[in-house]
Coordinates of all heavy atoms in Angstrom, one line a residue:
G69 N 7.4 20.6 16.8 CA 8.7 20.8 16.1 C 8.9 19.6 15.0 O 7.8 19.2 14.5
L70 N 10.0 19.5 14.7 CA 10.4 18.3 13.8 C 10.0 17.0 14.1 O 9.4 16.3 13.2 CB 11.9 18.4 13.5 CG 12.4 17.6 12.3 CD1 11.9 18.0 11.1 CD2 13.9 17.7 12.4
L71 N 10.0 16.6 15.3 CA 9.5 15.3 15.8 C 8.0 15.2 15.6 O 7.5 14.1 15.1 CB 9.7 15.2 17.3 CG 9.4 13.8 17.9 CD1 10.2 12.7 17.1 CD2 9.8 13.8 19.4
A72 N 7.3 16.2 15.8 CA 5.7 16.3 15.4 C 5.6 16.0 13.9 O 4.6 15.2 13.6 CB 5.0 17.5 16.0
V73 N 6.3 16.7 13.3 CA 6.1 16.6 11.7 C 6.5 15.1 11.2 O 5.8 14.4 10.5 CB 7.1 17.5 11.0 CG1 7.1 17.2 9.5 CG2 6.5 18.9 11.1
D74 N 7.6 14.5 11.9 CA 7.9 13.1 11.5 C 6.8 12.1 12.0 O 6.6 11.1 11.3 CB 9.2 12.8 12.3 CG 10.5 13.5 11.6 OD1 10.4 13.9 10.6 OD2 11.5 13.6 12.4
H75 N 6.2 12.4 13.1 CA 5.2 11.5 13.7 C 4.0 11.6 12.6 O 3.4 10.7 12.3 CB 4.8 12.0 15.0 CG 3.7 11.1 15.6 ND1 3.7 9.8 16.0 CD2 2.4 11.5 15.9 CE1 2.7 9.5 16.3 NE2 1.8 10.3 16.3
Q76 N 3.7 12.9 12.3 CA 2.6 13.0 11.2 C 2.9 12.3 9.8 O 2.0 11.7 9.4 CB 2.2 14.5 10.9 CG 1.7 15.2 12.2 CD 1.5 16.7 12.1 OE1 2.0 17.1 11.1 NE2 0.8 17.3 13.0
L77 N 4.1 12.4 9.5 CA 4.5 11.7 8.2 C 4.3 10.3 8.4 O 3.9 9.5 7.4 CB 5.9 12.0 7.8 CG 6.1 13.5 7.4 CD1 7.6 13.8 7.2 CD2 5.3 13.8 6.1
E78 N 4.7 9.7 9.5 CA 4.6 8.2 9.8 C 3.0 7.9 9.7 O 2.7 6.8 9.1 CB 5.1 7.8 11.2 CG 5.0 6.3 11.4 CD 5.7 5.9 12.8 OE1 6.4 6.5 13.2 OE2 5.5 4.6 13.1
L79 N 2.2 8.6 10.4 CA 0.8 8.3 10.4 C 0.2 8.5 8.9 O -0.6 7.7 8.6 CB 0.0 9.3 11.3 CG 0.3 9.1 12.8 CD1 -0.4 10.3 13.6 CD2 -0.2 7.8 13.2
I80 N 0.7 9.4 8.2 CA 0.1 9.6 6.9 C 0.5 8.4 6.0 O -0.3 7.8 5.3 CB 0.7 10.9 6.2 CG1 0.1 12.2 6.8 CG2 0.5 10.7 4.6 CD1 0.7 13.4 6.5
G81 N 1.8 7.9 6.2 CA 2.2 6.7 5.5 C 1.3 5.4 5.9 O 0.8 4.7 5.0
R82 N 1.0 5.3 7.1 CA 0.2 4.2 7.5 C -1.3 4.3 7.0 O -1.9 3.2 6.6 CB 0.2 4.0 9.1 CG 1.7 3.6 9.6 CD 1.7 3.3 10.8 NE 3.0 3.0 11.4 CZ 3.6 1.8 11.3 NH1 3.0 0.8 10.8 NH2 4.9 1.6 11.7
V83 N -1.8 5.4 7.0 CA -3.2 5.7 6.5 C -3.1 5.5 5.0 O -4.1 4.8 4.6 CB -3.6 7.2 6.8 CG1 -4.8 7.5 6.1 CG2 -3.9 7.3 8.3
L84 N -2.1 5.8 4.3 CA -2.1 5.6 2.9 C -2.0 4.2 2.6 O -2.6 3.6 1.6 CB -0.9 6.3 2.1 CG -1.0 7.8 2.0 CD1 0.3 8.5 1.6 CD2 -2.2 8.2 1.2
E85 N -1.2 3.4 3.3 CA -1.2 2.0 3.2 C -2.5 1.2 3.4 O -2.9 0.4 2.7 CB -0.1 1.3 4.1 CG 0.0 -0.1 3.8 CD 0.8 -0.9 4.9 OE1 1.1 -0.4 6.0 OE2 1.3 -2.1 4.7
A86 N -3.1 1.7 4.4 CA -4.4 1.2 4.8 C -5.5 1.4 3.6 O -6.3 0.6 3.3 CB -5.1 1.7 6.2
A87 N -5.4 2.6 3.0 CA -6.2 2.9 1.8 C -5.8 2.0 0.7 O -6.9 1.5 0.0 CB -6.1 4.4 1.5
V88 N -4.6 1.8 0.5 CA -4.2 0.8 -0.6 C -4.7 -0.6 -0.3 O -5.4 -1.3 -1.2 CB -2.6 0.7 -0.9 CG1 -2.2 -0.3 -1.7 CG2 -2.1 2.1 -1.3
Q89 N -4.6 -1.0 1.0 CA -5.1 -2.5 1.3 C -6.6 -2.5 1.1 O -7.2 -3.4 0.7 CB -4.7 -2.8 2.7 CG -3.1 -3.0 2.8 CD -2.5 -4.1 1.8 OE1 -3.3 -5.1 1.6 NE2 -1.5 -3.6 1.4
A90 N -7.3 -1.4 1.5 CA -8.8 -1.5 1.4 C -9.2 -1.5 -0.1 O -10.1 -2.3 -0.6 CB -9.4 -0.1 1.9
A91 N -8.4 -0.8 -0.9 CA -8.7 -0.8 -2.4 C -8.4 -2.3 -3.0 O -9.3 -2.7 -3.8 CB -7.9 0.2 -3.1
L92 N -7.4 -2.7 -2.6 CA -7.1 -4.1 -3.1 C -8.0 -5.1 -2.6 O -8.4 -6.1 -3.3 CB -5.6 -4.5 -2.6 CG -4.5 -3.6 -3.3 CD1 -3.2 -4.2 -2.7 CD2 -4.5 -3.7 -4.7
F93 N -8.6 -5.0 -1.3 CA -9.7 -5.8 -0.8 C -10.8 -5.8 -1.7 O -11.6 -6.8 -2.0 CB -9.8 -5.5 0.6 CG -10.8 -6.5 1.3 CD1 -10.5 -7.9 1.4 CD2 -12.0 -6.1 1.8 CE1 -11.4 -8.6 2.0 CE2 -12.9 -6.9 2.4 CZ -12.5 -8.2 2.5
N94 N -11.2 -4.5 -2.0 CA -12.4 -4.2 -2.9 C -12.2 -4.8 -4.3 O -13.3 -5.5 -4.7 CB -12.6 -2.8 -3.0 CG -13.8 -2.5 -3.7 OD1 -15.0 -2.9 -3.5 ND2 -13.8 -1.4 -4.7
V95 N -11.0 -4.7 -4.8 CA -10.8 -5.4 -6.0 C -11.0 -6.9 -6.0 O -11.6 -7.5 -6.9 CB -9.4 -5.1 -6.6 CG1 -8.9 -5.8 -7.9 CG2 -9.3 -3.6 -7.0
A96 N -10.5 -7.5 -4.9 CA -10.6 -9.1 -4.7 C -12.0 -9.4 -4.6 O -12.4 -10.4 -5.3 CB -9.8 -9.4 -3.5
I97 N -12.8 -8.6 -3.9 CA -14.2 -9.0 -3.7 C -14.8 -8.9 -5.1 O -15.7 -9.7 -5.5 CB -14.9 -7.9 -2.8 CG1 -14.5 -8.2 -1.4 CG2 -16.4 -8.1 -2.9 CD1 -14.8 -7.1 -0.3
N98 N -14.7 -7.9 -5.8 CA -15.3 -7.7 -7.2 C -14.8 -8.8 -8.2 O -15.6 -9.2 -9.0 CB -14.9 -6.2 -7.8 CG -15.7 -5.2 -7.0 OD1 -16.9 -5.4 -6.5 ND2 -15.2 -4.0 -6.9
L99 N -13.5 -9.2 -8.1 CA -13.0 -10.2 -9.0 C -13.6 -11.6 -8.7 O -13.5 -12.4 -9.6 CB -11.5 -10.2 -9.0 CG -10.9 -9.1 -9.7 CD1 -9.3 -9.2 -9.5 CD2 -11.2 -9.0 -11.1
S100 N -14.1 -11.8 -7.5 CA -14.5 -13.0 -7.1 C -15.8 -13.5 -7.9 O -16.0 -14.7 -8.1 CB -14.9 -13.2 -5.6 OG -16.0 -12.3 -5.4
G101 N -16.5 -12.4 -8.3 CA -17.6 -12.7 -9.3 C -17.3 -12.6 -10.8 O -18.3 -12.7 -11.6
A102 N -16.1 -12.3 -11.2 CA -15.8 -12.2 -12.6 C -16.0 -13.4 -13.4 O -15.6 -14.6 -13.0 CB -14.4 -11.6 -12.7
Q103 N -16.6 -13.3 -14.6 CA -16.8 -14.4 -15.4 C -15.6 -14.7 -16.3 O -15.5 -15.8 -16.8 CB -18.1 -14.2 -16.2 CG -19.3 -14.2 -15.2 CD -20.6 -14.0 -16.0 OE1 -20.6 -14.0 -17.3 NE2 -21.7 -14.1 -15.4
D104 N -14.8 -13.7 -16.5 CA -13.7 -13.9 -17.4 C -12.4 -14.2 -16.5 O -11.7 -13.4 -15.8 CB -13.4 -12.5 -18.2 CG -12.3 -12.7 -19.2 OD1 -11.4 -13.6 -18.9 OD2 -12.2 -11.8 -20.0
A105 N -12.2 -15.4 -16.4 CA -11.1 -16.0 -15.5 C -9.7 -15.4 -15.8 O -8.9 -15.1 -15.0 CB -11.0 -17.6 -15.6
E106 N -9.4 -15.3 -17.1 CA -8.1 -14.8 -17.6 C -8.0 -13.3 -17.1 O -7.0 -12.9 -16.5 CB -8.0 -14.8 -19.0 CG -6.6 -14.5 -19.5 CD -6.5 -14.7 -21.1 OE1 -6.8 -15.7 -21.5 OE2 -6.0 -13.7 -21.7
F107 N -9.0 -12.5 -17.3 CA -9.1 -11.2 -16.9 C -8.9 -11.0 -15.3 O -8.0 -10.3 -14.7 CB -10.3 -10.3 -17.1 CG -10.7 -9.0 -16.6 CD1 -9.9 -8.0 -17.1 CD2 -11.5 -8.9 -15.5 CE1 -10.2 -6.7 -16.6 CE2 -11.7 -7.6 -15.0 CZ -10.9 -6.6 -15.5
A108 N -9.6 -11.8 -14.5 CA -9.5 -12.0 -13.0 C -8.1 -12.4 -12.7 O -7.6 -11.7 -11.7 CB -10.5 -12.9 -12.5
A109 N -7.5 -13.3 -13.4 CA -6.1 -13.6 -12.9 C -5.2 -12.6 -13.2 O -4.3 -12.3 -12.4 CB -5.7 -14.9 -13.8
R110 N -5.4 -11.9 -14.3 CA -4.4 -10.8 -14.5 C -4.4 -9.7 -13.5 O -3.5 -9.2 -13.0 CB -4.7 -10.1 -16.0 CG -4.1 -10.7 -17.0 CD -4.0 -9.9 -18.3 NE -5.1 -9.1 -18.7 CZ -6.3 -9.4 -19.3 NH1 -6.4 -10.7 -19.8 NH2 -7.3 -8.6 -19.4
L111 N -5.7 -9.3 -13.1 CA -5.9 -8.3 -12.2 C -5.5 -8.7 -10.7 O -5.0 -7.9 -9.9 CB -7.4 -7.7 -12.1 CG -7.5 -6.6 -13.0 CD1 -8.2 -7.0 -14.3 CD2 -8.2 -5.5 -12.4
T112 N -5.6 -10.1 -10.3 CA -5.3 -10.6 -9.2 C -3.7 -10.5 -9.0 O -3.2 -10.1 -8.0 CB -5.7 -12.0 -9.0 OG1 -7.2 -12.0 -9.0 CG2 -5.3 -12.7 -7.7
E113 N -3.0 -10.8 -10.1 CA -1.6 -10.8 -10.2 C -1.1 -9.2 -10.0 O -0.2 -8.9 -9.2 CB -1.0 -11.3 -11.4 CG -1.0 -12.8 -11.5 CD -0.6 -13.4 -12.8 OE1 0.1 -12.6 -13.5 OE2 -0.9 -14.5 -13.2
E114 N -1.7 -8.4 -10.7 CA -1.5 -6.9 -10.7 C -1.7 -6.3 -9.2 O -1.0 -5.5 -8.7 CB -2.2 -6.1 -11.6 CG -2.0 -4.6 -11.6 CD -0.6 -4.3 -12.3 OE1 0.2 -5.1 -12.7 OE2 -0.2 -3.1 -12.1
S115 N -2.8 -6.7 -8.6 CA -3.2 -6.4 -7.3 C -2.0 -6.9 -6.3 O -1.8 -6.1 -5.5 CB -4.5 -6.8 -6.8 OG -5.6 -6.4 -7.6
A116 N -1.7 -8.0 -6.5 CA -0.6 -8.5 -5.6 C 0.6 -7.8 -5.7 O 1.4 -7.4 -4.7 CB -0.3 -10.1 -5.9
R117 N 0.9 -7.5 -7.0 CA 2.2 -6.5 -7.2 C 2.1 -5.2 -6.6 O 2.9 -4.8 -5.9 CB 2.4 -6.5 -8.7 CG 3.8 -5.8 -9.1 CD 3.8 -5.5 -10.6 NE 2.9 -4.5 -11.0 CZ 3.0 -3.1 -10.6 NH1 4.0 -2.7 -10.0 NH2 2.1 -2.2 -11.2
L118 N 0.8 -4.6 -6.8 CA 0.7 -3.2 -6.2 C 0.7 -3.2 -4.6 O 1.2 -2.4 -4.1 CB -0.7 -2.6 -6.7 CG -0.7 -2.3 -8.1 CD1 -2.1 -2.1 -8.6 CD2 0.2 -1.2 -8.4
G119 N 0.2 -4.4 -4.1 CA 0.2 -4.6 -2.6 C 1.7 -4.6 -2.1 O 2.1 -4.0 -1.0
Q120 N 2.6 -5.4 -2.9 CA 3.9 -5.5 -2.5 C 4.6 -4.2 -2.6 O 5.4 -3.8 -1.8 CB 4.5 -6.6 -3.3 CG 4.0 -8.0 -3.0 CD 4.7 -9.0 -4.0 OE1 5.1 -8.8 -5.0 NE2 4.4 -10.3 -3.7
E121 N 4.4 -3.5 -3.8 CA 4.9 -2.1 -4.0 C 4.6 -1.2 -2.8 O 5.4 -0.4 -2.3 CB 4.6 -1.6 -5.4 CG 5.1 -0.3 -5.7 CD 6.7 -0.2 -5.8 OE1 7.3 -1.3 -5.8 OE2 7.2 0.8 -6.1
A122 N 3.3 -1.2 -2.5 CA 2.8 -0.3 -1.3 C 3.6 -0.7 -0.2 O 4.0 0.3 0.6 CB 1.3 -0.5 -1.2
A123 N 3.7 -1.8 0.3 CA 4.6 -2.4 1.4 C 6.0 -1.9 1.4 O 6.5 -1.4 2.4 CB 4.4 -3.9 1.6
R124 N 6.5 -2.1 0.2 CA 8.0 -1.7 0.1 C 8.1 0.0 0.3 O 9.0 0.4 0.9 CB 8.4 -1.9 -1.4 CG 9.9 -1.6 -1.6 CD 10.3 -1.7 -3.0 NE 9.7 -0.7 -3.9 CZ 10.2 0.5 -4.1 NH1 11.2 0.9 -3.3 NH2 9.6 1.3 -4.9
L125 N 7.2 0.6 -0.4 CA 7.2 2.1 -0.2 C 6.8 2.7 1.3 O 7.5 3.5 1.8 CB 6.2 2.8 -1.2 CG 6.6 2.7 -2.5 CD1 5.3 3.1 -3.4 CD2 7.8 3.6 -3.0
R126 N 6.0 1.9 1.8 CA 5.8 2.1 3.3 C 7.0 2.0 4.2 O 7.4 2.8 5.0 CB 4.7 1.2 3.9 CG 4.4 1.4 5.4 CD 3.8 0.2 6.0 NE 4.8 -0.9 6.1 CZ 4.5 -2.0 5.8 NH1 3.3 -2.5 5.4 NH2 5.4 -3.1 5.8
E127 N 7.7 0.8 3.9 CA 8.8 0.6 4.6 C 9.9 1.6 4.4 O 10.6 2.2 5.2 CB 9.4 -0.8 4.5 CG 8.7 -1.9 5.1 CD 8.4 -1.7 6.6 OE1 9.5 -1.5 7.3 OE2 7.4 -1.8 7.0
R128 N 10.0 2.0 3.1 CA 11.1 3.1 2.7 C 10.7 4.5 3.5 O 11.6 5.1 4.0 CB 11.1 3.2 1.3 CG 12.1 4.2 0.7 CD 12.0 4.2 -0.8 NE 12.7 5.4 -1.3 CZ 12.6 5.8 -2.5 NH1 11.9 5.2 -3.4 NH2 13.2 6.9 -2.7
A129 N 9.4 4.7 3.4 CA 9.1 6.1 4.0 C 9.3 6.1 5.5 O 9.7 7.0 6.2 CB 7.5 6.3 3.8
L130 N 8.9 5.0 6.2 CA 9.0 4.8 7.7 C 10.5 4.7 8.0 O 10.9 5.4 9.1 CB 8.4 3.5 8.2 CG 6.9 3.4 8.2 CD1 6.3 2.2 8.6 CD2 6.3 4.7 8.9
A131 N 11.3 4.2 7.2 CA 12.8 4.1 7.5 C 13.3 5.6 7.5 O 14.1 5.9 8.3 CB 13.5 3.2 6.6
T132 N 12.9 6.3 6.5 CA 13.4 7.7 6.4 C 12.9 8.5 7.6 O 13.7 9.3 8.1 CB 12.7 8.3 5.1 OG1 13.2 7.6 3.9 CG2 13.1 9.8 5.0
V133 N 11.6 8.3 8.1 CA 11.3 9.0 9.2 C 11.9 8.6 10.5 O 12.4 9.5 11.2 CB 9.7 8.9 9.5 CG1 9.2 9.3 10.7 CG2 8.8 9.4 8.2
R134 N 12.2 7.3 10.6 CA 12.9 6.9 11.7 C 14.4 7.3 11.8 O 14.9 7.6 12.9 CB 12.9 5.3 11.9 CG 11.5 4.8 12.1 CD 11.6 3.3 12.1 NE 10.1 2.9 12.4 CZ 9.5 2.0 11.7 NH1 10.1 1.5 10.7 NH2 8.2 1.7 11.9
K135 N 15.0 7.6 10.7 CA 16.3 8.1 10.7 C 16.4 9.5 11.2 O 17.3 9.9 11.7 CB 16.9 8.0 9.2 CG 17.4 6.7 8.6 CD 17.8 6.9 7.3 CE 18.0 5.6 6.7 NZ 18.5 5.7 5.3
R136 N 15.3 10.3 11.1 CA 15.3 11.6 11.5 C 15.0 11.8 12.9 O 15.1 12.8 13.5 CB 14.2 12.4 10.5 CG 14.7 12.4 9.1 CD 13.6 13.0 8.4 NE 13.2 14.3 8.9 CZ 12.6 15.4 8.1 NH1 12.5 15.1 6.8 NH2 12.2 16.5 8.7
I137 N 14.5 10.8 13.6 CA 14.0 10.8 14.9 C 15.2 10.6 15.8 O 16.0 9.9 15.6 CB 13.0 9.8 15.4 CG1 11.6 10.1 14.5 CG2 12.6 9.8 16.8 CD1 10.6 9.0 14.7

């Protein structure tokens, strides 16, 4: 029923966050060898921003699911 759907939505949110974190980790690995320090710094900042946004969206989604339980 509805509880099963809510549980699935929570799991989907957590899987999506894990995918974002894996992508950001990959970016960090690739930037560690970048020769253009300015480029690397810009992408590092953008990655941090995206990681924070992903965490914010995760919390928002989980709060929505928890309200329905």
